[in-house]
Amino acid sequence: MTPLDLTKLPDFLRAQRWFAGKAWPIKSVSVADHVTMELGACSFTLAIIEVVYELGQPERYQLQARQTPEGLTSALEDDDCVRAVFNLAREGRVVSSGSGRVVGEWIASTDSGVALPDPLSVRRLNVEQSNTSLVLGERVIIKVIRKLEAGVNPEYEVGRFLATKTNFRATPQLVGALNLEGPAGATLAVAHRFVPDAVDGWKYTLERLRQEKALSERFLGEMRELGARLGDLHKAFASAGPDDLAFSPEPLLQEDLQRWSASIVGELGVTLADAGRLHADLEGRREGLIAYAKRLAHVAPSGQKIRIHGDLHLGQVLRSENQWLFFDFEGEPSRSFTARREKYSALRDVAGMIRSFDYAEATVALEGGQPRGRVGPTRDAFLEGYRQATRGAAFLPDSDEAFDVMLRAFELEKLLYEVRYELANRPDWVRIPVEALLRMEDAQ
């Protein structure tokens, strides 16, 4: 098969919706590893390419390309190629690459048998920008990971742990994967059960808040259930034995609390310096907010550090058949794989979800909907469900006071992130986290 024409790669990349470097001049493109795929009716080159920019850090991407007389084309536009790539995982095949090998994996746990129709239909999802997602037979969704990082991909690692080591099923189950082993090693694709007719939690909650002037017991019951399911997820993470080093719980130490506190204080300084120019009322709250963050360092350490979702909000849960499902365990995209795989307090996930409730209500208010005031009952119901599901859990603080101080500190951490994000991306929205910061300091 004709090798890829490297001179054509920059133009090919800029035409791909998943390529994040469109705005930067490309200095060079090289191939770190490649596989010539001859898969029945389909042949193409799977290449791991390194893009070096004139400025900034190099990036690695995965592409499946064909060299045609008209130039490079994406092989995944061909349904036969999509099926062939999926079958690599489904059949557990191994294909040698230039410097390693591509290894397919199909998880044969007792309830992962997915009855797939024949012929296998292929449907492309256009909702994602950074990866390529394809639905096969309306039973499986395969995500081809485009931007690659060295190390263990948390989405694969967490999905495999939950599917094979726990009974937690409130998630679209991981059923297979493609991994590249060798010097350019990375997770290339993950396959999960496809959940038809699911609504993401953000859209679901917005719709309910638009419809309900006063929160119904049904909605508050769903929030309790969401809290309980998060508690179940954390219990599943904490169930790892001591021999599973990536997941086994670790004692939460005073130095962890001090490190987290110092980090939040540092973020406060940077964030208020930026936001204070637009919102002068924040500057007068600086000392009170710093005191809030410093309380974390003086909590008596108890509980454990465990693996967590790491980027939890309403957009990371699905509502399907009156059940909540958690998904997207990749972690915060701006952090390295190593940082995303760190064990942490479970309350960081709890704080992320609580902040999402505030965003949902503020979004409805900006649309001219109901006035504020519904976050409190939503938060209380969610926490009630979480506390009931995790009563006596070794990974949580052993006193209500420590629980509250830690949760508030992580809410503050999330708020600071939101302020910085909105300043950079949606300045009109920055008032949402700023107002929450002001309310938080008032509540001390």
Side-chain angles (χ1 to χ4, degrees), residues 138-195:
E138 299 302 313
R139 303 287 176 82
V140 170
I141 181 167
I142 186 165
K143 179 162 80 173
V144 178
I145 298 166
R146 292 303 187 173
K147 187 178 176 184
L148 303 179
E149 284 192 53
V152 180
N153 185 306
E155 184 164 26
Y156 166 71
E157 182 182 40
V158 169
R160 196 178 192 289
F161 172 79
L162 291 175
T164 64
K165 301 286 183 67
T166 79
N167 294 319
F168 184 79
R169 293 295 175 263
T171 182
Q173 194 178 357
L174 183 78
V175 293
L178 281 178
N179 287 293
L180 176 63
E181 298 178 352
T187 298
L188 303 180
V190 287
H192 293 86
R193 284 180 179 274
F194 179 62
V195 183

Tab-separated table of all heavy atoms in Angstrom, residues 138-195:
chain	number	residue	atom	x	y	z
A	138	GLU	N	-26.305	-0.093	16.977
A	138	GLU	CA	-27.084	0.540	18.054
A	138	GLU	C	-26.887	-0.170	19.391
A	138	GLU	O	-27.682	-0.019	20.300
A	138	GLU	CB	-28.582	0.603	17.695
A	138	GLU	CG	-28.885	1.424	16.442
A	138	GLU	CD	-28.405	2.865	16.537
A	138	GLU	OE1	-28.657	3.503	17.576
A	138	GLU	OE2	-27.771	3.355	15.573
A	139	ARG	N	-25.792	-0.932	19.519
A	139	ARG	CA	-25.522	-1.673	20.759
A	139	ARG	C	-24.213	-1.253	21.417
A	139	ARG	O	-24.069	-1.372	22.632
A	139	ARG	CB	-25.462	-3.186	20.475
A	139	ARG	CG	-26.701	-3.763	19.823
A	139	ARG	CD	-27.855	-3.850	20.790
A	139	ARG	NE	-29.075	-4.312	20.145
A	139	ARG	CZ	-29.374	-5.580	19.898
A	139	ARG	NH1	-28.521	-6.525	20.240
A	139	ARG	NH2	-30.501	-5.898	19.311
A	140	VAL	N	-23.252	-0.833	20.596
A	140	VAL	CA	-21.917	-0.498	21.101
A	140	VAL	C	-21.526	0.862	20.554
A	140	VAL	O	-21.820	1.188	19.398
A	140	VAL	CB	-20.880	-1.566	20.666
A	140	VAL	CG1	-19.461	-1.112	20.975
A	140	VAL	CG2	-21.154	-2.900	21.335
A	141	ILE	N	-20.875	1.664	21.385
A	141	ILE	CA	-20.299	2.933	20.916
A	141	ILE	C	-18.794	2.842	21.070
A	141	ILE	O	-18.287	2.479	22.140
A	141	ILE	CB	-20.893	4.153	21.672
A	141	ILE	CG1	-20.281	5.448	21.138
A	141	ILE	CG2	-20.728	4.025	23.179
A	141	ILE	CD1	-21.020	6.706	21.595
A	142	ILE	N	-18.097	3.090	19.989
A	142	ILE	CA	-16.639	3.031	20.020
A	142	ILE	C	-16.097	4.454	19.870
A	142	ILE	O	-16.548	5.218	19.010
A	142	ILE	CB	-16.079	2.087	18.932
A	142	ILE	CG1	-14.564	1.939	19.074
A	142	ILE	CG2	-16.470	2.523	17.535
A	142	ILE	CD1	-13.982	0.771	18.293
A	143	LYS	N	-15.199	4.818	20.772
A	143	LYS	CA	-14.578	6.149	20.730
A	143	LYS	C	-13.136	5.987	20.295
A	143	LYS	O	-12.339	5.335	20.989
A	143	LYS	CB	-14.661	6.839	22.088
A	143	LYS	CG	-13.987	8.222	22.086
A	143	LYS	CD	-14.426	9.083	23.246
A	143	LYS	CE	-13.712	8.744	24.521
A	143	LYS	NZ	-14.037	9.708	25.599
A	144	VAL	N	-12.811	6.533	19.138
A	144	VAL	CA	-11.436	6.536	18.651
A	144	VAL	C	-10.755	7.768	19.216
A	144	VAL	O	-11.189	8.901	18.967
A	144	VAL	CB	-11.398	6.541	17.107
A	144	VAL	CG1	-9.959	6.600	16.612
A	144	VAL	CG2	-12.113	5.315	16.556
A	145	ILE	N	-9.737	7.544	20.024
A	145	ILE	CA	-9.073	8.648	20.728
A	145	ILE	C	-8.055	9.282	19.796
A	145	ILE	O	-7.146	8.615	19.293
A	145	ILE	CB	-8.422	8.126	22.024
A	145	ILE	CG1	-9.514	7.564	22.945
A	145	ILE	CG2	-7.647	9.238	22.724
A	145	ILE	CD1	-9.003	6.729	24.077
A	146	ARG	N	-8.212	10.542	19.555
A	146	ARG	CA	-7.381	11.220	18.552
A	146	ARG	C	-6.077	11.780	19.126
A	146	ARG	O	-5.001	11.477	18.651
A	146	ARG	CB	-8.202	12.333	17.903
A	146	ARG	CG	-9.346	11.816	17.050
A	146	ARG	CD	-8.835	10.879	15.966
A	146	ARG	NE	-9.877	10.488	15.014
A	146	ARG	CZ	-9.625	9.787	13.925
A	146	ARG	NH1	-8.398	9.379	13.668
A	146	ARG	NH2	-10.613	9.450	13.102
A	147	LYS	N	-6.203	12.608	20.152
A	147	LYS	CA	-5.000	13.195	20.742
A	147	LYS	C	-4.483	12.241	21.808
A	147	LYS	O	-5.187	11.933	22.770
A	147	LYS	CB	-5.311	14.568	21.347
A	147	LYS	CG	-4.080	15.316	21.820
A	147	LYS	CD	-4.465	16.688	22.359
A	147	LYS	CE	-3.258	17.396	22.921
A	147	LYS	NZ	-3.628	18.697	23.535
A	148	LEU	N	-3.274	11.751	21.625
A	148	LEU	CA	-2.738	10.687	22.473
A	148	LEU	C	-1.768	11.235	23.496
A	148	LEU	O	-1.025	12.183	23.227
A	148	LEU	CB	-2.042	9.632	21.618
A	148	LEU	CG	-2.889	8.972	20.529
A	148	LEU	CD1	-2.056	7.969	19.748
A	148	LEU	CD2	-4.123	8.301	21.119
A	149	GLU	N	-1.774	10.607	24.657
A	149	GLU	CA	-0.808	10.931	25.701
A	149	GLU	C	-0.103	9.665	26.127
A	149	GLU	O	-0.677	8.575	26.084
A	149	GLU	CB	-1.518	11.536	26.918
A	149	GLU	CG	-1.949	12.959	26.745
A	149	GLU	CD	-2.363	13.573	28.076
A	149	GLU	OE1	-1.572	13.516	29.030
A	149	GLU	OE2	-3.476	14.101	28.142
A	150	ALA	N	1.125	9.827	26.582
A	150	ALA	CA	1.858	8.689	27.114
A	150	ALA	C	1.237	8.282	28.448
A	150	ALA	O	0.727	9.112	29.191
A	150	ALA	CB	3.332	9.056	27.295
A	151	GLY	N	1.280	6.993	28.733
A	151	GLY	CA	0.783	6.521	30.016
A	151	GLY	C	-0.573	5.851	29.895
A	151	GLY	O	-1.124	5.694	28.805
A	152	VAL	N	-1.113	5.479	31.044
A	152	VAL	CA	-2.377	4.744	31.091
A	152	VAL	C	-3.544	5.718	30.956
A	152	VAL	O	-3.640	6.685	31.711
A	152	VAL	CB	-2.498	3.961	32.417
A	152	VAL	CG1	-3.821	3.200	32.468
A	152	VAL	CG2	-1.322	3.000	32.579
A	153	ASN	N	-4.413	5.461	29.996
A	153	ASN	CA	-5.589	6.313	29.803
A	153	ASN	C	-6.597	6.024	30.914
A	153	ASN	O	-7.048	4.891	31.064
A	153	ASN	CB	-6.207	6.025	28.435
A	153	ASN	CG	-7.350	6.953	28.103
A	153	ASN	OD1	-8.301	7.076	28.868
A	153	ASN	ND2	-7.265	7.603	26.964
A	154	PRO	N	-6.982	7.025	31.715
A	154	PRO	CA	-7.891	6.777	32.838
A	154	PRO	C	-9.238	6.207	32.411
A	154	PRO	O	-9.837	5.419	33.138
A	154	PRO	CB	-8.055	8.156	33.490
A	154	PRO	CG	-6.908	8.966	32.996
A	154	PRO	CD	-6.561	8.440	31.652
A	155	GLU	N	-9.741	6.602	31.243
A	155	GLU	CA	-11.054	6.107	30.821
A	155	GLU	C	-11.021	4.589	30.619
A	155	GLU	O	-11.932	3.869	31.023
A	155	GLU	CB	-11.507	6.801	29.538
A	155	GLU	CG	-12.902	6.375	29.127
A	155	GLU	CD	-13.529	7.288	28.104
A	155	GLU	OE1	-12.791	7.944	27.343
A	155	GLU	OE2	-14.765	7.340	28.049
A	156	TYR	N	-9.946	4.100	29.999
A	156	TYR	CA	-9.788	2.656	29.816
A	156	TYR	C	-9.559	1.969	31.161
A	156	TYR	O	-10.198	0.961	31.480
A	156	TYR	CB	-8.612	2.386	28.873
A	156	TYR	CG	-8.143	0.954	28.880
A	156	TYR	CD1	-8.921	-0.054	28.309
A	156	TYR	CD2	-6.936	0.606	29.470
A	156	TYR	CE1	-8.496	-1.380	28.326
A	156	TYR	CE2	-6.505	-0.718	29.491
A	156	TYR	CZ	-7.285	-1.703	28.912
A	156	TYR	OH	-6.877	-3.017	28.936
A	157	GLU	N	-8.670	2.547	31.951
A	157	GLU	CA	-8.304	1.923	33.223
A	157	GLU	C	-9.503	1.834	34.173
A	157	GLU	O	-9.776	0.778	34.760
A	157	GLU	CB	-7.176	2.736	33.871
A	157	GLU	CG	-6.677	2.163	35.175
A	157	GLU	CD	-5.599	3.043	35.795
A	157	GLU	OE1	-5.728	4.289	35.737
A	157	GLU	OE2	-4.635	2.493	36.332
A	158	VAL	N	-10.239	2.944	34.310
A	158	VAL	CA	-11.395	2.965	35.207
A	158	VAL	C	-12.506	2.064	34.666
A	158	VAL	O	-13.118	1.286	35.413
A	158	VAL	CB	-11.906	4.405	35.402
A	158	VAL	CG1	-13.252	4.416	36.104
A	158	VAL	CG2	-10.890	5.222	36.197
A	159	GLY	N	-12.758	2.149	33.372
A	159	GLY	CA	-13.802	1.320	32.791
A	159	GLY	C	-13.520	-0.159	32.968
A	159	GLY	O	-14.424	-0.947	33.289
A	160	ARG	N	-12.276	-0.537	32.794
A	160	ARG	CA	-11.913	-1.949	32.940
A	160	ARG	C	-12.031	-2.391	34.396
A	160	ARG	O	-12.506	-3.491	34.688
A	160	ARG	CB	-10.485	-2.168	32.434
A	160	ARG	CG	-10.160	-3.631	32.182
A	160	ARG	CD	-8.748	-3.827	31.630
A	160	ARG	NE	-8.591	-5.188	31.158
A	160	ARG	CZ	-8.524	-6.251	31.936
A	160	ARG	NH1	-8.597	-6.105	33.259
A	160	ARG	NH2	-8.389	-7.466	31.436
A	161	PHE	N	-11.618	-1.515	35.317
A	161	PHE	CA	-11.729	-1.846	36.746
A	161	PHE	C	-13.183	-2.049	37.141
A	161	PHE	O	-13.540	-3.046	37.783
A	161	PHE	CB	-11.096	-0.725	37.580
A	161	PHE	CG	-11.319	-0.876	39.066
A	161	PHE	CD1	-10.559	-1.754	39.813
A	161	PHE	CD2	-12.301	-0.130	39.713
A	161	PHE	CE1	-10.773	-1.904	41.185
A	161	PHE	CE2	-12.526	-0.263	41.071
A	161	PHE	CZ	-11.748	-1.158	41.808
A	162	LEU	N	-14.053	-1.118	36.749
A	162	LEU	CA	-15.462	-1.226	37.129
A	162	LEU	C	-16.112	-2.462	36.514
A	162	LEU	O	-16.929	-3.134	37.149
A	162	LEU	CB	-16.220	0.035	36.712
A	162	LEU	CG	-15.878	1.322	37.467
A	162	LEU	CD1	-16.621	2.515	36.862
A	162	LEU	CD2	-16.188	1.208	38.953
A	163	ALA	N	-15.741	-2.782	35.268
A	163	ALA	CA	-16.375	-3.905	34.577
A	163	ALA	C	-15.905	-5.256	35.101
A	163	ALA	O	-16.679	-6.217	35.121
A	163	ALA	CB	-16.104	-3.812	33.077
A	164	THR	N	-14.641	-5.341	35.522
A	164	THR	CA	-14.074	-6.653	35.852
A	164	THR	C	-13.835	-6.884	37.336
A	164	THR	O	-13.724	-8.034	37.766
A	164	THR	CB	-12.733	-6.858	35.118
A	164	THR	OG1	-11.776	-5.890	35.585
A	164	THR	CG2	-12.895	-6.715	33.614
A	165	LYS	N	-13.780	-5.813	38.132
A	165	LYS	CA	-13.428	-5.976	39.549
A	165	LYS	C	-14.541	-5.561	40.511
A	165	LYS	O	-14.380	-5.689	41.720
A	165	LYS	CB	-12.172	-5.135	39.873
A	165	LYS	CG	-10.936	-5.480	39.046
A	165	LYS	CD	-10.322	-6.787	39.489
A	165	LYS	CE	-9.045	-7.084	38.720
A	165	LYS	NZ	-7.944	-6.153	39.002
A	166	THR	N	-15.651	-5.021	39.982
A	166	THR	CA	-16.716	-4.539	40.868
A	166	THR	C	-18.079	-4.967	40.321
A	166	THR	O	-18.203	-5.402	39.172
A	166	THR	CB	-16.718	-2.994	40.986
A	166	THR	OG1	-17.350	-2.418	39.827
A	166	THR	CG2	-15.301	-2.436	41.120
A	167	ASN	N	-19.102	-4.778	41.140
A	167	ASN	CA	-20.478	-5.025	40.709
A	167	ASN	C	-21.198	-3.734	40.333
A	167	ASN	O	-22.417	-3.742	40.150
A	167	ASN	CB	-21.256	-5.733	41.834
A	167	ASN	CG	-20.721	-7.127	42.110
A	167	ASN	OD1	-20.399	-7.854	41.180
A	167	ASN	ND2	-20.618	-7.486	43.384
A	168	PHE	N	-20.461	-2.633	40.238
A	168	PHE	CA	-21.079	-1.342	39.911
A	168	PHE	C	-21.504	-1.348	38.443
A	168	PHE	O	-20.682	-1.577	37.556
A	168	PHE	CB	-20.090	-0.205	40.179
A	168	PHE	CG	-20.676	1.165	39.955
A	168	PHE	CD1	-21.497	1.745	40.914
A	168	PHE	CD2	-20.406	1.870	38.794
A	168	PHE	CE1	-22.043	3.008	40.713
A	168	PHE	CE2	-20.943	3.134	38.585
A	168	PHE	CZ	-21.763	3.696	39.557
A	169	ARG	N	-22.777	-1.114	38.201
A	169	ARG	CA	-23.277	-1.156	36.828
A	169	ARG	C	-24.009	0.120	36.416
A	169	ARG	O	-24.659	0.146	35.373
A	169	ARG	CB	-24.206	-2.361	36.645
A	169	ARG	CG	-23.486	-3.710	36.757
A	169	ARG	CD	-22.485	-3.900	35.617
A	169	ARG	NE	-21.700	-5.111	35.748
A	169	ARG	CZ	-20.466	-5.160	36.267
A	169	ARG	NH1	-19.902	-4.047	36.722
A	169	ARG	NH2	-19.811	-6.300	36.318
A	170	ALA	N	-23.915	1.168	37.231
A	170	ALA	CA	-24.559	2.435	36.868
A	170	ALA	C	-23.637	3.230	35.942
A	170	ALA	O	-23.264	4.380	36.201
A	170	ALA	CB	-24.915	3.236	38.118
A	171	THR	N	-23.251	2.583	34.847
A	171	THR	CA	-22.359	3.189	33.869
A	171	THR	C	-22.511	2.415	32.561
A	171	THR	O	-22.799	1.213	32.598
A	171	THR	CB	-20.887	3.153	34.345
A	171	THR	OG1	-20.054	3.807	33.382
A	171	THR	CG2	-20.379	1.732	34.544
A	172	PRO	N	-22.347	3.068	31.399
A	172	PRO	CA	-22.286	2.298	30.157
A	172	PRO	C	-21.016	1.439	30.199
A	172	PRO	O	-19.907	1.962	30.182
A	172	PRO	CB	-22.204	3.375	29.066
A	172	PRO	CG	-22.668	4.636	29.719
A	172	PRO	CD	-22.252	4.522	31.148
A	173	GLN	N	-21.167	0.139	30.268
A	173	GLN	CA	-20.046	-0.737	30.592
A	173	GLN	C	-19.007	-0.793	29.478
A	173	GLN	O	-19.347	-0.869	28.292
A	173	GLN	CB	-20.565	-2.146	30.873
A	173	GLN	CG	-19.548	-3.049	31.544
A	173	GLN	CD	-20.140	-4.414	31.833
A	173	GLN	OE1	-21.315	-4.642	31.570
A	173	GLN	NE2	-19.341	-5.307	32.358
A	174	LEU	N	-17.729	-0.749	29.861
A	174	LEU	CA	-16.650	-0.960	28.907
A	174	LEU	C	-16.674	-2.410	28.447
A	174	LEU	O	-16.693	-3.331	29.272
A	174	LEU	CB	-15.291	-0.646	29.553
A	174	LEU	CG	-14.084	-0.761	28.610
A	174	LEU	CD1	-13.984	0.468	27.716
A	174	LEU	CD2	-12.783	-0.937	29.383
A	175	VAL	N	-16.688	-2.627	27.136
A	175	VAL	CA	-16.712	-3.992	26.612
A	175	VAL	C	-15.464	-4.329	25.811
A	175	VAL	O	-15.192	-5.509	25.553
A	175	VAL	CB	-17.972	-4.253	25.744
A	175	VAL	CG1	-19.226	-4.217	26.606
A	175	VAL	CG2	-18.075	-3.260	24.602
A	176	GLY	N	-14.688	-3.333	25.411
A	176	GLY	CA	-13.492	-3.634	24.628
A	176	GLY	C	-12.609	-2.422	24.461
A	176	GLY	O	-12.988	-1.298	24.812
A	177	ALA	N	-11.421	-2.668	23.904
A	177	ALA	CA	-10.464	-1.580	23.711
A	177	ALA	C	-9.419	-1.980	22.687
A	177	ALA	O	-9.223	-3.170	22.394
A	177	ALA	CB	-9.782	-1.229	25.040
A	178	LEU	N	-8.753	-0.975	22.149
A	178	LEU	CA	-7.560	-1.172	21.328
A	178	LEU	C	-6.436	-0.396	21.979
A	178	LEU	O	-6.567	0.805	22.239
A	178	LEU	CB	-7.772	-0.643	19.908
A	178	LEU	CG	-8.551	-1.486	18.900
A	178	LEU	CD1	-8.663	-0.732	17.585
A	178	LEU	CD2	-7.874	-2.835	18.680
A	179	ASN	N	-5.330	-1.083	22.261
A	179	ASN	CA	-4.174	-0.428	22.860
A	179	ASN	C	-2.946	-0.636	21.989
A	179	ASN	O	-2.759	-1.719	21.413
A	179	ASN	CB	-3.903	-0.976	24.266
A	179	ASN	CG	-4.922	-0.498	25.283
A	179	ASN	OD1	-4.977	0.687	25.595
A	179	ASN	ND2	-5.747	-1.408	25.788
A	180	LEU	N	-2.133	0.391	21.896
A	180	LEU	CA	-0.845	0.287	21.213
A	180	LEU	C	0.232	0.074	22.262
A	180	LEU	O	0.372	0.883	23.186
A	180	LEU	CB	-0.562	1.556	20.409
A	180	LEU	CG	0.806	1.631	19.719
A	180	LEU	CD1	0.958	0.541	18.668
A	180	LEU	CD2	1.022	3.011	19.091
A	181	GLU	N	0.961	-1.012	22.150
A	181	GLU	CA	2.076	-1.285	23.050
A	181	GLU	C	3.379	-0.960	22.338
A	181	GLU	O	3.489	-1.122	21.122
A	181	GLU	CB	2.057	-2.755	23.486
A	181	GLU	CG	0.798	-3.135	24.270
A	181	GLU	CD	0.773	-4.605	24.646
A	181	GLU	OE1	1.658	-5.366	24.157
A	181	GLU	OE2	-0.133	-5.013	25.399
A	182	GLY	N	4.371	-0.508	23.109
A	182	GLY	CA	5.651	-0.146	22.523
A	182	GLY	C	6.047	1.263	22.898
A	182	GLY	O	5.405	1.899	23.745
A	183	PRO	N	7.099	1.800	22.267
A	183	PRO	CA	7.608	3.138	22.628
A	183	PRO	C	6.553	4.237	22.493
A	183	PRO	O	6.571	5.211	23.238
A	183	PRO	CB	8.759	3.366	21.634
A	183	PRO	CG	9.163	2.002	21.194
A	183	PRO	CD	7.937	1.159	21.225
A	184	ALA	N	5.639	4.096	21.520
A	184	ALA	CA	4.593	5.108	21.324
A	184	ALA	C	3.287	4.666	21.970
A	184	ALA	O	2.201	5.086	21.564
A	184	ALA	CB	4.390	5.368	19.832
A	185	GLY	N	3.376	3.805	22.993
A	185	GLY	CA	2.210	3.172	23.602
A	185	GLY	C	1.117	4.143	24.021
A	185	GLY	O	1.398	5.217	24.552
A	186	ALA	N	-0.122	3.744	23.777
A	186	ALA	CA	-1.278	4.580	24.132
A	186	ALA	C	-2.547	3.761	23.932
A	186	ALA	O	-2.551	2.757	23.222
A	186	ALA	CB	-1.327	5.841	23.264
A	187	THR	N	-3.637	4.214	24.554
A	187	THR	CA	-4.952	3.652	24.282
A	187	THR	C	-5.488	4.310	23.022
A	187	THR	O	-5.586	5.535	22.948
A	187	THR	CB	-5.908	3.890	25.466
A	187	THR	OG1	-5.390	3.225	26.618
A	187	THR	CG2	-7.294	3.355	25.164
A	188	LEU	N	-5.827	3.485	22.024
A	188	LEU	CA	-6.270	4.001	20.728
A	188	LEU	C	-7.786	4.137	20.639
A	188	LEU	O	-8.285	5.030	19.950
A	188	LEU	CB	-5.783	3.082	19.610
A	188	LEU	CG	-4.264	2.854	19.523
A	188	LEU	CD1	-3.946	1.912	18.371
A	188	LEU	CD2	-3.517	4.174	19.363
A	189	ALA	N	-8.509	3.224	21.296
A	189	ALA	CA	-9.969	3.266	21.215
A	189	ALA	C	-10.561	2.511	22.392
A	189	ALA	O	-9.949	1.570	22.911
A	189	ALA	CB	-10.459	2.656	19.898
A	190	VAL	N	-11.758	2.934	22.797
A	190	VAL	CA	-12.505	2.231	23.839
A	190	VAL	C	-13.919	1.994	23.312
A	190	VAL	O	-14.478	2.826	22.600
A	190	VAL	CB	-12.556	3.019	25.167
A	190	VAL	CG1	-11.209	2.984	25.871
A	190	VAL	CG2	-12.989	4.472	24.943
A	191	ALA	N	-14.468	0.819	23.659
A	191	ALA	CA	-15.819	0.464	23.233
A	191	ALA	C	-16.677	0.250	24.465
A	191	ALA	O	-16.297	-0.487	25.378
A	191	ALA	CB	-15.796	-0.797	22.374
A	192	HIS	N	-17.830	0.903	24.509
A	192	HIS	CA	-18.767	0.783	25.619
A	192	HIS	C	-20.128	0.336	25.096
A	192	HIS	O	-20.440	0.513	23.915
A	192	HIS	CB	-18.952	2.132	26.332
A	192	HIS	CG	-17.746	2.624	27.057
A	192	HIS	ND1	-16.760	3.362	26.431
A	192	HIS	CD2	-17.363	2.485	28.356
A	192	HIS	CE1	-15.813	3.667	27.321
A	192	HIS	NE2	-16.161	3.155	28.488
A	193	ARG	N	-20.927	-0.200	26.001
A	193	ARG	CA	-22.329	-0.417	25.659
A	193	ARG	C	-22.951	0.921	25.276
A	193	ARG	O	-22.728	1.929	25.942
A	193	ARG	CB	-23.088	-0.974	26.863
A	193	ARG	CG	-22.837	-2.434	27.162
A	193	ARG	CD	-23.659	-2.837	28.384
A	193	ARG	NE	-23.477	-4.234	28.724
A	193	ARG	CZ	-24.167	-5.238	28.205
A	193	ARG	NH1	-25.089	-4.980	27.305
A	193	ARG	NH2	-23.951	-6.483	28.575
A	194	PHE	N	-23.749	0.918	24.232
A	194	PHE	CA	-24.456	2.131	23.828
A	194	PHE	C	-25.795	2.189	24.553
A	194	PHE	O	-26.513	1.185	24.627
A	194	PHE	CB	-24.678	2.147	22.317
A	194	PHE	CG	-25.416	3.357	21.830
A	194	PHE	CD1	-24.881	4.630	21.986
A	194	PHE	CD2	-26.660	3.231	21.228
A	194	PHE	CE1	-25.563	5.758	21.548
A	194	PHE	CE2	-27.359	4.351	20.779
A	194	PHE	CZ	-26.798	5.613	20.947
A	195	VAL	N	-26.094	3.344	25.124
A	195	VAL	CA	-27.348	3.529	25.850
A	195	VAL	C	-28.282	4.357	24.969
A	195	VAL	O	-28.123	5.573	24.847
A	195	VAL	CB	-27.116	4.235	27.201
A	195	VAL	CG1	-28.423	4.356	27.970
A	195	VAL	CG2	-26.063	3.499	28.020
